[in-house]
Amino acid sequence: MRALAKIQHLRSDACKQKIIRNLSRLMDIRIIDIDVDNQMIFFLFEGPLAFHRVKQELWRIGYPIIKYKCQNGKSFLSRSEMFDQALA
C-alpha cells in the first residue's frame, strides 16, 4: 500500500535525514520521497501494522503525522478501514 502523510515540525534537511535514518530501521516500509517544503512524506508499506509503526516512530522522534491518505490499489482507506484491516 501507499501512504502520503503531512508531518509536523519537518523544517530542514537535518529533519529529513533524521526521519530517513529512523524509518530505514523499520521492516516492511520503503520511503519514496520526503518533501521538506510541504512537510510531506510518501512511502510504501506492507500493511496496517507497518503503517502503525511508522506513525509511532515519527511521533517518538518528534515529527507526528498531522493527516494522511493511504491507498490500497485504487481506493483510499479511511482510519476505520485501516483499523479494520489490522484486526483481520
Side-chain angles (χ1 to χ4, degrees), residues 5-8 43 51 54-55 58 63-68:
K6 182 156 181 78
I7 299 175
Q8 201 171 30
F43 61 97
F51 182 81
V54 170
K55 280 179 51 178
L58 287 171
Y63 303 98
I65 292 177
I66 299 169
K67 60 182 175 179
Y68 64 87

Side-chain angles (χ1 to χ4, degrees), residues 16-64:
K16 178 179 176 177
Q17 292 306 315
K18 184 176 181 180
I19 290 169
I20 290 170
R21 183 183 69 237
N22 282 273
L23 292 185
S24 66
R25 297 177 186 157
L26 300 178
M27 301 299 287
D28 302 330
I29 72 144
R30 182 171 174 218
I31 299 170
I32 303 300
D33 188 32
I34 298 178
D35 181 356
V36 175
D37 295 331
N38 295 313
Q39 298 183 324
M40 302 291 283
I41 182 171
F42 181 57
F43 61 97
L44 303 175
F45 63 100
E46 289 293 321
L49 185 57
F51 182 81
H52 177 72
R53 287 184 187 138
V54 170
K55 280 179 51 178
Q56 189 173 25
E57 182 63 15
L58 287 171
W59 179 81
R60 188 186 73 75
I61 63 174
Y63 303 98

